[in-house]
Amino acid sequence: MGLADASGPRDTQALLSATQAMELRRRDYHMERPLLNQEHLEELGRWGSAPRTRQWQTWLQCSRARARALLLQHLPVLVWLPRYPVRDWLVGDLLSGLSVAIMQLPQGLAYALLAGLPPVFGLYSSFYPVFIYFLFGTSRHISVGTFAVMSVMVGSVTESLAPQALNDSMINETARDAARVQVASTLSVLVGLFQVGLGLIHFGFVVTYLSEPLVRGYTTAAAVQVFVSQLKYVFGLHLSSHSGPLSLIYTVLEVCRKLPQSKLIGATGISYGMGLKHRFEVDVVGNIPAGLVPPVAPNTQLFSKLVGSAFTIAVVGFAIAISLGKIFALRHGYRVDSNQELVALGLSNLIGGIFQCFPVSCSMSRSLVQESTGGNSQVAGAISSLFILLIIVKLGELFHDLPKAVLAAIIIVNLKGMLRQLSDVRSLWKANRADLLIWLVTFTATILLNLDLGLVVAVIFSLLLVVVRTQMPHYSVLGQVPDTDIYRDVAEYSEAKEVPGVKVFRSSATVYFANAEFYSDALKQRCGVDVDFLISQKKKLLKKREQLKLKQLQKEEKLQKQAASSKGASVSINVNTSLEDMRSNNVEDCKTMVSPGDKMEDATANGQEDSKAPDGSTLKALGLPQPDFHSLILDLGALSFVDTVCLKSLKNIFHDFREIEVEVYMAACQSPVVSQLEAGHFFDASITKKHLFASVHDAVTFALQHPRPVPDSPVSVTRL
């Protein structure tokens, strides 16, 4: 419902205080171009729906060029290797490859212990996947292979399906190791299948749901898990197998209880010369068979038990690899294809699993070494894998008597970088406390619930936090920055002044089902008007007035009947006729009172001066306070989509504010949002595209020129 028609500065000033009127005269609200509402903008710009590209038609095309493009896309080595600058890059890649291999050798042996496997399988996992990634990967600097976080995730699976002890009795170590190798290799195949499948369907964006605070909190907690798992090797203790929630706590308590039983430790030479394995029962690496193992088919019967863990490991491994890959790509000026990275990692794990490797990703420490020692391409990775192959074939026996405590020490030293991430707590406290909350929840859940459940809890919590943050966005009333067409929050910009007679309201987030009610409540609160109270009071007064009229009508009717009984029949007929005329007149008066919008529409069309006189249903006539503004503008520039709840909420805003004689306009909607408004049948006879403007300044200028509803449009709208 709008205010009484006004067509000039004199009528506008009647709605404002003297001070506001002076302010309005001092400002010159005009546009160097015509005012643009949505109808004018669509006509001027010849707006139409953007043509949809059918990507699937391109995928189904079959030609030699298409086949070649697919081959080069999924086998990148054919693109960059023929252009490899031998003179410039070969020396750096050679030195980098040897440096990484020297580092990869002890890490491979050590991380196999984390996975609960014999150390030699860490060497296998440092050869096959690395060479496969050389062929299919797109990052030039990451070092693919064994990684502590992946290994401890694999170890939690192998220990749960092939435990260390059963009913407090030791089982055969050879059979146990064989069972764990089968579980780990089958898990690697399943992880590879997940990654290849997700990559082929272009599902690389899934990693976007793992924010940086989540990944850093998760890897820090995993580092703590790794550290605790190595205490039994450092102190030479035999611990019970713990898995599931709180397993870390149980392990720490058992280590503390058995700490007096710890053994002295030596290096390889001392171990071999003094026979520590036999004299002091110090665990050593043991037999490292020379040569490669033949391929083995995965045990498909384990798929149902491993599918959940496989998907988690696949996502975590890809998240670590792509985050590091993008860091190096940005630093050196090239592009990493996230979908092809999924395929490359998947093939590395798939083929590696067939050759009895466990799931791998990329190592942070080795990747930094590969870059800092002059590595320029994955030729460095190929060289490191060939060096590992030499160790497997000829030099493996040299590490037979290496104590496992030394490998545990290597693992703990390599955790230094991840454990330093504990300092994130201090930096996030200063920078962003919502991200700090994600970090802490991820860290705590991973410590208490183990790696798989911890990741699930972390992802769910981070997504819920996003929803909660959109439920509580920043709401603001905007004012005009002097001598500009820019509008900013009056609470933040001291020079930004509200336009007299106009309220401009903005939300920093899109409006949808989770926050639509909060949006409406914040709007009514920031406008400084108790809209619901005014509407309810108006309805009560109108209802009361109607009841009084009916009572008066009944009283007059009763008097007429009494008078008719004392007169003749002819007089009675005249009285009854007069009474019917009165009833008809009263009904017409009620109709005029309840639906003033029709009268205003007629007055606008006819342009008659007497239509400006207020009828009996206005707030002023009812003795209710009037808002100090005649127009409300909703800045919808933050809207990215609309749903049915948003549509209903906007319609109700139009209805409620028109009930208190304030006209509503919208501004700054993007084209996709306008299309969704049309598809949701938002526009009708009462709300048209004339209420939607290209910018806030267009809407403000129009509202000041027309301090009432849009001309030639009805003002009544049904509340939903």
Side-chain angles (χ1 to χ4, degrees):
M1 181 175 180
L3 294 171
D5 189 22
S7 58
R10 177 176 56 82
D11 302 300
T12 302
Q13 293 171 14
L15 302 171
L16 308 173
S17 65
T19 304
Q20 291 175 327
M22 291 175 62
E23 176 72 15
L24 180 58
R25 285 196 301 270
R26 193 166 68 245
R27 296 187 180 190
D28 183 19
Y29 290 96
H30 70 281
M31 302 287 288
E32 298 296 334
R33 56 170 173 79
L35 294 180
L36 292 178
N37 59 32
Q38 188 63 28
E39 285 187 355
H40 297 153
L41 183 61
E42 291 177 4
E43 182 179 355
L44 181 65
R46 297 184 180 180
W47 177 78
S49 300
R52 295 183 178 180
T53 57
R54 298 181 178 180
Q55 187 67 32
W56 59 270
Q57 291 183 346
T58 306
W59 292 344
L60 296 179
Q61 289 179 357
C62 184
S63 64
R64 176 179 293 183
R66 177 63 177 161
R68 184 176 183 276
L70 285 175
L71 179 63
L72 296 179
Q73 177 184 352
H74 294 295
L75 198 60
V77 70
L78 298 179
V79 177
W80 62 265
L81 190 59
R83 307 172 186 173
Y84 183 78
V86 177
R87 292 183 179 180
D88 297 331
W89 285 8
L90 183 59
V91 175
D93 283 339
L94 182 61
L95 294 176
S96 176
L98 293 176
S99 301
V100 170
I102 293 171
M103 192 175 182
Q104 180 127 279
L105 172 61
Q107 285 188 355
L109 296 171
Y111 292 158
L113 296 181
L114 282 180
L117 304 174
V120 67
F121 290 93
L123 296 181
Y124 299 153
S125 300
S126 301
F127 167 63
Y128 290 104
V130 178
F131 194 79
I132 296 300
Y133 185 84
F134 161 74
L135 300 175
F136 295 95
T138 60
S139 175
R140 303 203 311 244
H141 294 89
I142 65 172
S143 175
V144 172
T146 57
F147 182 49
V149 174
M150 300 288 288
S151 298
V152 76
M153 294 179 75
V154 174
S156 66
V157 177
T158 57
E159 290 185 6
S160 63
L161 296 181
Q164 177 77 18
L166 187 62
N167 297 329
D168 296 328
S169 62
M170 297 301 296
I171 62 175
N172 183 276
E173 289 188 6
T174 304
R176 179 205 64 191
D177 290 345
R180 288 184 174 181
V181 169
Q182 186 181 52
V183 170
S185 60
T186 302
L187 179 64
S188 182
V189 170
L190 200 53
V191 168
L193 289 174
F194 273 125
Q195 290 177 331
V196 171
L198 293 175
L200 291 177
I201 63 174
H202 290 206
F203 208 67
F205 69 89
V206 71
V207 75
T208 59
Y209 295 104
L210 304 179
S211 64
E212 182 180 356
L214 188 151
V215 173
R216 292 178 68 88
Y218 185 78
T219 52
T220 306
V224 175
Q225 294 262 13
V226 172
F227 177 82
V228 172
S229 70
Q230 295 308 292
L231 293 179
K232 64 180 180 181
Y233 297 112
V234 171
F235 296 109
L237 301 176
H238 293 283
L239 304 179
S240 303
S241 177
H242 301 287
S243 61
L246 301 180
S247 60
L248 182 72
I249 308 300
Y250 297 143
T251 302
V252 172
L253 293 176
E254 188 174 1
V255 168
C256 295
R257 189 170 63 251
K258 293 185 176 181
L259 199 58
Q261 305 173 14
S262 60
K263 303 177 179 63
L264 296 174
I265 300 166
T268 306
I270 300 175
S271 172
Y272 177 76
M274 299 183 62
L276 296 182
K277 175 176 174 59
H278 304 289
R279 295 178 61 185
F280 299 101
E281 297 182 355
V282 173
D283 285 339
V284 297
V285 169
N287 183 42
I288 299 180
L292 300 173
V293 294
V296 178
N299 185 356
T300 56
Q301 295 179 351
L302 293 173
F303 278 9
S304 59
K305 299 178 181 179
L306 299 175
V307 61
S309 299
F311 184 79
T312 303
I313 293 173
V315 173
V316 172
F318 172 62
I320 295 170
I322 195 63
S323 59
L324 276 178
K326 287 186 175 181
I327 290 173
F328 289 122
L330 184 63
R331 185 180 301 173
H332 293 276
Y334 63 91
R335 182 178 177 275
V336 172
D337 186 342
S338 59
N339 294 309
Q340 181 58 27
E341 284 295 292
L342 258 178
V343 173
L345 277 177
L347 290 174
S348 299
N349 285 312
L350 178 61
I351 298 175
I354 295 175
F355 287 93
Q356 299 190 13
C357 301
F358 54 87
V360 299
S361 182
C362 77
S363 167
M364 301 179 187
S365 58
R366 290 199 310 272
S367 298
L368 290 173
V369 168
Q370 180 168 322
E371 182 207 28
S372 61
T373 54
N376 297 295
S377 70
Q378 279 302 324
V379 170
I383 292 173
S384 69
S385 68
L386 293 177
F387 185 84
I388 297 297
L389 176 63
L390 178 63
I391 299 295
I392 296 173
V393 174
K394 293 295 183 181
L395 305 178
E397 295 180 356
L398 298 178
F399 303 95
H400 179 278
D401 292 302
L402 179 66
K404 290 183 179 179
V406 175
L407 299 180
I410 293 173
I411 292 173
I412 292 173
V413 169
N414 280 284
L415 296 176
K416 179 176 62 175
M418 286 188 287
L419 291 176
R420 281 178 178 172
Q421 293 176 161
L422 287 169
S423 62
D424 289 352
V425 174
R426 182 176 59 184
S427 59
L428 289 176
W429 175 265
K430 298 177 181 178
N432 192 312
R433 296 186 182 179
D435 284 345
L436 173 62
L437 188 59
I438 294 175
W439 195 101
L440 292 174
V441 169
T442 303
F443 180 84
T444 305
T446 305
I447 290 292
L448 297 179
L449 302 178
N450 242 342
L451 294 170
D452 48 359
L453 292 178
L455 180 64
V456 174
V457 171
V459 172
I460 293 176
F461 177 80
S462 62
L463 293 178
L464 287 177
L465 187 60
V466 171
V467 174
V468 171
R469 293 173 76 176
T470 60
Q471 281 185 315
M472 296 182 293
H474 178 67
Y475 298 112
S476 55
V477 173
L478 305 185
Q480 186 186 28
V481 178
D483 301 323
T484 70
D485 59 354
I486 298 174
Y487 294 79
R488 291 294 182 265
D489 189 352
V490 294
E492 297 177 352
Y493 291 78
S494 59
E495 290 298 318
K497 305 297 181 182
E498 289 188 50
V499 179
V502 178
K503 287 283 185 182
V504 184
F505 181 77
R506 179 169 64 191
S507 168
S508 62
T510 192
V511 182
Y512 67 114
F513 69 92
N515 64 2
E517 184 176 354
F518 297 105
Y519 180 86
S520 299
D521 293 342
L523 169 63
K524 295 174 182 178
Q525 180 182 3
R526 295 298 179 92
C527 286
V529 178
D530 195 338
V531 179
D532 296 330
F533 175 77
L534 281 179
I535 293 176
S536 63
Q537 289 297 109
K538 180 180 179 179
K539 289 181 178 180
K540 287 180 181 179
L541 291 174
L542 289 176
K543 186 176 181 180
K544 184 177 181 180
R545 177 178 292 184
E546 183 180 355
Q547 291 174 348
L548 289 175
K549 287 202 172 204
L550 289 175
K551 287 182 180 180
Q552 183 179 1
L553 181 64
Q554 292 173 355
K555 185 177 180 180
E556 291 178 357
E557 184 177 343
K558 184 177 180 181
L559 292 175
Q560 294 291 345
K561 286 182 179 180
Q562 291 176 354
S565 61
S566 60
K567 294 181 180 179
S570 61
V571 176
S572 178
I573 293 174
N574 291 334
V575 170
N576 289 336
T577 302
S578 177
L579 187 59
E580 290 299 327
D581 293 339
M582 290 177 63
R583 286 181 180 174
S584 177
N585 291 335
N586 281 324
V587 170
E588 291 298 327
D589 290 341
C590 291
K591 289 182 179 179
T592 303
M593 174 183 62
V594 175
S595 303
D598 294 337
K599 177 188 287 187
M600 288 188 179
E601 183 181 0
D602 294 338
T604 303
N606 297 329
Q608 295 179 353
E609 185 68 23
D610 58 356
S611 65
K612 300 172 186 175
D615 61 51
S617 63
T618 63
L619 295 176
K620 184 176 181 180
L622 294 172
L624 295 174
Q626 294 176 276
D628 60 354
F629 58 97
H630 55 75
S631 299
L632 170 66
I633 297 172
L634 305 178
D635 182 356
L636 302 181
L639 258 66
S640 57
F641 68 93
V642 293
D643 58 8
T644 55
V645 178
C646 175
L647 294 176
K648 291 180 180 179
S649 179
L650 291 176
K651 283 223 171 193
N652 290 338
I653 289 171
F654 270 83
H655 171 271
D656 291 347
F657 278 88
R658 284 176 173 177
E659 280 289 321
I660 62 170
E661 302 164 10
V662 173
E663 184 54 40
V664 183
Y665 304 99
M666 301 179 297
C669 278
Q670 302 297 324
S671 294
V673 175
V674 177
S675 299
Q676 294 174 28
L677 291 173
E678 287 184 322
H681 305 290
F682 177 77
F683 299 110
D684 52 24
S686 60
I687 306 175
T688 68
K689 289 186 178 180
K690 293 180 180 179
H691 294 86
L692 177 58
F693 288 86
S695 69
V696 172
H697 195 62
D698 286 276
V700 170
T701 305
F702 184 87
L704 291 174
Q705 294 175 358
H706 306 83
R708 51 150 299 136
V710 179
D712 302 326
S713 66
V715 297
S716 60
V717 57
T718 305
R719 199 179 198 280
L720 300 177

mmCIF file of all heavy atoms in Angstrom, residues 50-78:
data_model
loop_
_atom_site.group_PDB
_atom_site.id
_atom_site.type_symbol
_atom_site.label_atom_id
_atom_site.label_comp_id
_atom_site.label_asym_id
_atom_site.label_seq_id
_atom_site.Cartn_x
_atom_site.Cartn_y
_atom_site.Cartn_z
ATOM 1 N N ALA A 50 20.995 -16.907 -21.913
ATOM 2 C CA ALA A 50 22.257 -17.331 -22.535
ATOM 3 C C ALA A 50 22.100 -18.730 -23.124
ATOM 4 O O ALA A 50 21.487 -19.605 -22.508
ATOM 5 C CB ALA A 50 23.378 -17.323 -21.492
ATOM 6 N N PRO A 51 22.624 -18.964 -24.332
ATOM 7 C CA PRO A 51 22.501 -20.303 -24.927
ATOM 8 C C PRO A 51 23.271 -21.324 -24.115
ATOM 9 O O PRO A 51 24.380 -21.071 -23.647
ATOM 10 C CB PRO A 51 23.123 -20.116 -26.322
ATOM 11 C CG PRO A 51 24.023 -18.931 -26.187
ATOM 12 C CD PRO A 51 23.376 -18.028 -25.181
ATOM 13 N N ARG A 52 22.670 -22.474 -23.936
ATOM 14 C CA ARG A 52 23.299 -23.537 -23.164
ATOM 15 C C ARG A 52 24.202 -24.371 -24.053
ATOM 16 O O ARG A 52 23.809 -24.797 -25.132
ATOM 17 C CB ARG A 52 22.240 -24.448 -22.529
ATOM 18 C CG ARG A 52 21.381 -23.739 -21.483
ATOM 19 C CD ARG A 52 20.412 -24.706 -20.836
ATOM 20 N NE ARG A 52 19.620 -24.065 -19.805
ATOM 21 C CZ ARG A 52 18.697 -24.696 -19.074
ATOM 22 N NH1 ARG A 52 18.464 -25.980 -19.292
ATOM 23 N NH2 ARG A 52 18.025 -24.049 -18.153
ATOM 24 N N THR A 53 25.425 -24.569 -23.558
ATOM 25 C CA THR A 53 26.354 -25.418 -24.302
ATOM 26 C C THR A 53 26.171 -26.863 -23.853
ATOM 27 O O THR A 53 26.133 -27.153 -22.661
ATOM 28 C CB THR A 53 27.802 -24.987 -24.024
ATOM 29 O OG1 THR A 53 28.043 -25.051 -22.606
ATOM 30 C CG2 THR A 53 28.052 -23.567 -24.511
ATOM 31 N N ARG A 54 26.055 -27.732 -24.794
ATOM 32 C CA ARG A 54 25.864 -29.148 -24.498
ATOM 33 C C ARG A 54 27.217 -29.852 -24.558
ATOM 34 O O ARG A 54 27.651 -30.312 -25.608
ATOM 35 C CB ARG A 54 24.876 -29.769 -25.485
ATOM 36 C CG ARG A 54 23.490 -29.116 -25.399
ATOM 37 C CD ARG A 54 22.509 -29.762 -26.359
ATOM 38 N NE ARG A 54 21.188 -29.180 -26.232
ATOM 39 C CZ ARG A 54 20.126 -29.554 -26.952
ATOM 40 N NH1 ARG A 54 20.266 -30.504 -27.876
ATOM 41 N NH2 ARG A 54 18.955 -28.988 -26.775
ATOM 42 N N GLN A 55 27.861 -29.909 -23.367
ATOM 43 C CA GLN A 55 29.214 -30.443 -23.302
ATOM 44 C C GLN A 55 29.246 -31.912 -23.686
ATOM 45 O O GLN A 55 30.229 -32.393 -24.248
ATOM 46 C CB GLN A 55 29.753 -30.251 -21.882
ATOM 47 C CG GLN A 55 31.228 -30.615 -21.720
ATOM 48 C CD GLN A 55 32.140 -29.680 -22.478
ATOM 49 O OE1 GLN A 55 31.837 -28.511 -22.627
ATOM 50 N NE2 GLN A 55 33.250 -30.194 -22.954
ATOM 51 N N TRP A 56 28.154 -32.627 -23.381
ATOM 52 C CA TRP A 56 28.155 -34.070 -23.645
ATOM 53 C C TRP A 56 28.239 -34.362 -25.137
ATOM 54 O O TRP A 56 28.747 -35.411 -25.540
ATOM 55 C CB TRP A 56 26.901 -34.702 -23.056
ATOM 56 C CG TRP A 56 25.607 -34.155 -23.594
ATOM 57 C CD1 TRP A 56 24.894 -33.110 -23.100
ATOM 58 C CD2 TRP A 56 24.874 -34.619 -24.732
ATOM 59 N NE1 TRP A 56 23.774 -32.880 -23.849
ATOM 60 C CE2 TRP A 56 23.722 -33.798 -24.847
ATOM 61 C CE3 TRP A 56 25.064 -35.640 -25.652
ATOM 62 C CZ2 TRP A 56 22.793 -33.981 -25.854
ATOM 63 C CZ3 TRP A 56 24.123 -35.828 -26.660
ATOM 64 C CH2 TRP A 56 23.005 -35.012 -26.750
ATOM 65 N N GLN A 57 27.776 -33.426 -25.985
ATOM 66 C CA GLN A 57 27.902 -33.645 -27.425
ATOM 67 C C GLN A 57 29.362 -33.619 -27.850
ATOM 68 O O GLN A 57 29.781 -34.391 -28.717
ATOM 69 C CB GLN A 57 27.107 -32.573 -28.181
ATOM 70 C CG GLN A 57 25.594 -32.704 -28.028
ATOM 71 C CD GLN A 57 24.854 -31.668 -28.845
ATOM 72 O OE1 GLN A 57 25.441 -30.698 -29.330
ATOM 73 N NE2 GLN A 57 23.549 -31.855 -29.018
ATOM 74 N N THR A 58 30.155 -32.743 -27.202
ATOM 75 C CA THR A 58 31.585 -32.708 -27.507
ATOM 76 C C THR A 58 32.271 -33.980 -27.054
ATOM 77 O O THR A 58 33.146 -34.521 -27.741
ATOM 78 C CB THR A 58 32.235 -31.488 -26.820
ATOM 79 O OG1 THR A 58 31.521 -30.307 -27.206
ATOM 80 C CG2 THR A 58 33.701 -31.361 -27.200
ATOM 81 N N TRP A 59 31.867 -34.489 -25.901
ATOM 82 C CA TRP A 59 32.477 -35.710 -25.380
ATOM 83 C C TRP A 59 32.204 -36.905 -26.290
ATOM 84 O O TRP A 59 33.033 -37.814 -26.396
ATOM 85 C CB TRP A 59 31.940 -36.000 -23.980
ATOM 86 C CG TRP A 59 32.369 -35.010 -22.947
ATOM 87 C CD1 TRP A 59 33.379 -34.102 -23.048
ATOM 88 C CD2 TRP A 59 31.781 -34.801 -21.657
ATOM 89 N NE1 TRP A 59 33.469 -33.347 -21.905
ATOM 90 C CE2 TRP A 59 32.513 -33.744 -21.032
ATOM 91 C CE3 TRP A 59 30.738 -35.391 -20.964
ATOM 92 C CZ2 TRP A 59 32.214 -33.291 -19.756
ATOM 93 C CZ3 TRP A 59 30.442 -34.943 -19.699
ATOM 94 C CH2 TRP A 59 31.165 -33.899 -19.104
ATOM 95 N N LEU A 60 31.057 -36.927 -26.933
ATOM 96 C CA LEU A 60 30.681 -38.080 -27.751
ATOM 97 C C LEU A 60 31.169 -37.982 -29.190
ATOM 98 O O LEU A 60 30.909 -38.877 -29.989
ATOM 99 C CB LEU A 60 29.155 -38.243 -27.737
ATOM 100 C CG LEU A 60 28.529 -38.565 -26.363
ATOM 101 C CD1 LEU A 60 27.015 -38.664 -26.483
ATOM 102 C CD2 LEU A 60 29.104 -39.854 -25.794
ATOM 103 N N GLN A 61 31.832 -36.897 -29.544
ATOM 104 C CA GLN A 61 32.359 -36.777 -30.899
ATOM 105 C C GLN A 61 33.490 -37.778 -31.121
ATOM 106 O O GLN A 61 34.300 -38.026 -30.225
ATOM 107 C CB GLN A 61 32.874 -35.357 -31.145
ATOM 108 C CG GLN A 61 31.770 -34.314 -31.265
ATOM 109 C CD GLN A 61 32.333 -32.920 -31.476
ATOM 110 O OE1 GLN A 61 33.554 -32.735 -31.475
ATOM 111 N NE2 GLN A 61 31.457 -31.949 -31.655
ATOM 112 N N CYS A 62 33.554 -38.345 -32.301
ATOM 113 C CA CYS A 62 34.568 -39.346 -32.622
ATOM 114 C C CYS A 62 35.298 -38.914 -33.897
ATOM 115 O O CYS A 62 34.711 -38.845 -34.972
ATOM 116 C CB CYS A 62 33.925 -40.722 -32.816
ATOM 117 S SG CYS A 62 35.109 -42.047 -33.093
ATOM 118 N N SER A 63 36.579 -38.578 -33.749
ATOM 119 C CA SER A 63 37.396 -38.182 -34.877
ATOM 120 C C SER A 63 38.858 -38.388 -34.505
ATOM 121 O O SER A 63 39.201 -38.606 -33.335
ATOM 122 C CB SER A 63 37.136 -36.712 -35.258
ATOM 123 O OG SER A 63 37.531 -35.851 -34.203
ATOM 124 N N ARG A 64 39.728 -38.296 -35.501
ATOM 125 C CA ARG A 64 41.159 -38.459 -35.222
ATOM 126 C C ARG A 64 41.663 -37.334 -34.318
ATOM 127 O O ARG A 64 42.456 -37.580 -33.392
ATOM 128 C CB ARG A 64 41.933 -38.462 -36.544
ATOM 129 C CG ARG A 64 43.439 -38.520 -36.345
ATOM 130 C CD ARG A 64 44.174 -38.544 -37.667
ATOM 131 N NE ARG A 64 43.913 -39.785 -38.393
ATOM 132 C CZ ARG A 64 44.483 -40.081 -39.570
ATOM 133 N NH1 ARG A 64 45.320 -39.217 -40.142
ATOM 134 N NH2 ARG A 64 44.200 -41.216 -40.172
ATOM 135 N N ALA A 65 41.217 -36.120 -34.557
ATOM 136 C CA ALA A 65 41.652 -35.000 -33.725
ATOM 137 C C ALA A 65 41.169 -35.161 -32.287
ATOM 138 O O ALA A 65 41.901 -34.872 -31.329
ATOM 139 C CB ALA A 65 41.131 -33.685 -34.312
ATOM 140 N N ARG A 66 39.926 -35.650 -32.140
ATOM 141 C CA ARG A 66 39.390 -35.869 -30.795
ATOM 142 C C ARG A 66 40.169 -36.960 -30.070
ATOM 143 O O ARG A 66 40.503 -36.833 -28.889
ATOM 144 C CB ARG A 66 37.911 -36.249 -30.893
ATOM 145 C CG ARG A 66 37.244 -36.574 -29.561
ATOM 146 C CD ARG A 66 37.220 -35.393 -28.639
ATOM 147 N NE ARG A 66 36.524 -35.695 -27.398
ATOM 148 C CZ ARG A 66 36.645 -34.995 -26.285
ATOM 149 N NH1 ARG A 66 37.420 -33.934 -26.267
ATOM 150 N NH2 ARG A 66 35.992 -35.335 -25.204
ATOM 151 N N ALA A 67 40.511 -38.039 -30.772
ATOM 152 C CA ALA A 67 41.276 -39.129 -30.170
ATOM 153 C C ALA A 67 42.670 -38.650 -29.756
ATOM 154 O O ALA A 67 43.167 -38.988 -28.677
ATOM 155 C CB ALA A 67 41.372 -40.297 -31.144
ATOM 156 N N ARG A 68 43.295 -37.859 -30.603
ATOM 157 C CA ARG A 68 44.628 -37.337 -30.276
ATOM 158 C C ARG A 68 44.569 -36.401 -29.078
ATOM 159 O O ARG A 68 45.442 -36.427 -28.198
ATOM 160 C CB ARG A 68 45.210 -36.616 -31.486
ATOM 161 C CG ARG A 68 46.637 -36.118 -31.288
ATOM 162 C CD ARG A 68 47.186 -35.505 -32.571
ATOM 163 N NE ARG A 68 48.571 -35.094 -32.398
ATOM 164 C CZ ARG A 68 48.957 -33.931 -31.880
ATOM 165 N NH1 ARG A 68 48.027 -33.052 -31.492
ATOM 166 N NH2 ARG A 68 50.247 -33.644 -31.753
ATOM 167 N N ALA A 69 43.525 -35.574 -29.024
ATOM 168 C CA ALA A 69 43.379 -34.650 -27.897
ATOM 169 C C ALA A 69 43.185 -35.406 -26.585
ATOM 170 O O ALA A 69 43.761 -35.045 -25.550
ATOM 171 C CB ALA A 69 42.204 -33.707 -28.145
ATOM 172 N N LEU A 70 42.393 -36.481 -26.626
ATOM 173 C CA LEU A 70 42.188 -37.290 -25.420
ATOM 174 C C LEU A 70 43.481 -37.966 -24.986
ATOM 175 O O LEU A 70 43.789 -38.049 -23.791
ATOM 176 C CB LEU A 70 41.099 -38.338 -25.667
ATOM 177 C CG LEU A 70 39.653 -37.827 -25.689
ATOM 178 C CD1 LEU A 70 38.704 -38.963 -26.065
ATOM 179 C CD2 LEU A 70 39.267 -37.254 -24.326
ATOM 180 N N LEU A 71 44.246 -38.469 -25.954
ATOM 181 C CA LEU A 71 45.510 -39.126 -25.632
ATOM 182 C C LEU A 71 46.480 -38.156 -24.968
ATOM 183 O O LEU A 71 47.104 -38.475 -23.945
ATOM 184 C CB LEU A 71 46.130 -39.716 -26.902
ATOM 185 C CG LEU A 71 47.485 -40.413 -26.727
ATOM 186 C CD1 LEU A 71 47.336 -41.635 -25.812
ATOM 187 C CD2 LEU A 71 48.046 -40.825 -28.079
ATOM 188 N N LEU A 72 46.613 -36.959 -25.533
ATOM 189 C CA LEU A 72 47.526 -35.976 -24.967
ATOM 190 C C LEU A 72 47.028 -35.451 -23.621
ATOM 191 O O LEU A 72 47.822 -35.099 -22.750
ATOM 192 C CB LEU A 72 47.718 -34.816 -25.943
ATOM 193 C CG LEU A 72 48.380 -35.165 -27.280
ATOM 194 C CD1 LEU A 72 48.488 -33.921 -28.155
ATOM 195 C CD2 LEU A 72 49.752 -35.790 -27.068
ATOM 196 N N GLN A 73 45.709 -35.414 -23.452
ATOM 197 C CA GLN A 73 45.145 -34.931 -22.188
ATOM 198 C C GLN A 73 45.428 -35.897 -21.043
ATOM 199 O O GLN A 73 45.773 -35.478 -19.937
ATOM 200 C CB GLN A 73 43.636 -34.715 -22.336
ATOM 201 C CG GLN A 73 42.945 -34.269 -21.044
ATOM 202 C CD GLN A 73 41.444 -34.166 -21.201
ATOM 203 O OE1 GLN A 73 40.913 -34.291 -22.302
ATOM 204 N NE2 GLN A 73 40.751 -33.958 -20.102
ATOM 205 N N HIS A 74 45.284 -37.193 -21.323
ATOM 206 C CA HIS A 74 45.433 -38.192 -20.267
ATOM 207 C C HIS A 74 46.829 -38.813 -20.213
ATOM 208 O O HIS A 74 47.095 -39.625 -19.321
ATOM 209 C CB HIS A 74 44.387 -39.293 -20.440
ATOM 210 C CG HIS A 74 42.974 -38.814 -20.246
ATOM 211 N ND1 HIS A 74 42.512 -38.338 -19.037
ATOM 212 C CD2 HIS A 74 41.931 -38.713 -21.106
ATOM 213 C CE1 HIS A 74 41.244 -37.977 -19.157
ATOM 214 N NE2 HIS A 74 40.866 -38.191 -20.406
ATOM 215 N N LEU A 75 47.707 -38.466 -21.124
ATOM 216 C CA LEU A 75 49.096 -38.918 -21.084
ATOM 217 C C LEU A 75 50.007 -37.702 -21.304
ATOM 218 O O LEU A 75 50.616 -37.543 -22.361
ATOM 219 C CB LEU A 75 49.337 -39.996 -22.141
ATOM 220 C CG LEU A 75 50.581 -40.873 -21.960
ATOM 221 C CD1 LEU A 75 50.525 -41.619 -20.629
ATOM 222 C CD2 LEU A 75 50.706 -41.856 -23.107
ATOM 223 N N PRO A 76 50.082 -36.825 -20.320
ATOM 224 C CA PRO A 76 50.781 -35.546 -20.508
ATOM 225 C C PRO A 76 52.258 -35.686 -20.863
ATOM 226 O O PRO A 76 52.840 -34.755 -21.427
ATOM 227 C CB PRO A 76 50.613 -34.848 -19.148
ATOM 228 C CG PRO A 76 49.460 -35.523 -18.502
ATOM 229 C CD PRO A 76 49.485 -36.934 -18.984
ATOM 230 N N VAL A 77 52.883 -36.822 -20.529
ATOM 231 C CA VAL A 77 54.304 -36.974 -20.833
ATOM 232 C C VAL A 77 54.576 -36.848 -22.324
ATOM 233 O O VAL A 77 55.662 -36.416 -22.741
ATOM 234 C CB VAL A 77 54.820 -38.322 -20.284
ATOM 235 C CG1 VAL A 77 54.238 -39.489 -21.082
ATOM 236 C CG2 VAL A 77 56.343 -38.368 -20.299
ATOM 237 N N LEU A 78 53.582 -37.185 -23.157
ATOM 238 C CA LEU A 78 53.752 -37.054 -24.606
ATOM 239 C C LEU A 78 53.769 -35.597 -25.041
ATOM 240 O O LEU A 78 54.227 -35.283 -26.151
ATOM 241 C CB LEU A 78 52.624 -37.801 -25.333
ATOM 242 C CG LEU A 78 52.551 -39.313 -25.104
ATOM 243 C CD1 LEU A 78 51.383 -39.908 -25.858
ATOM 244 C CD2 LEU A 78 53.860 -39.973 -25.522
#
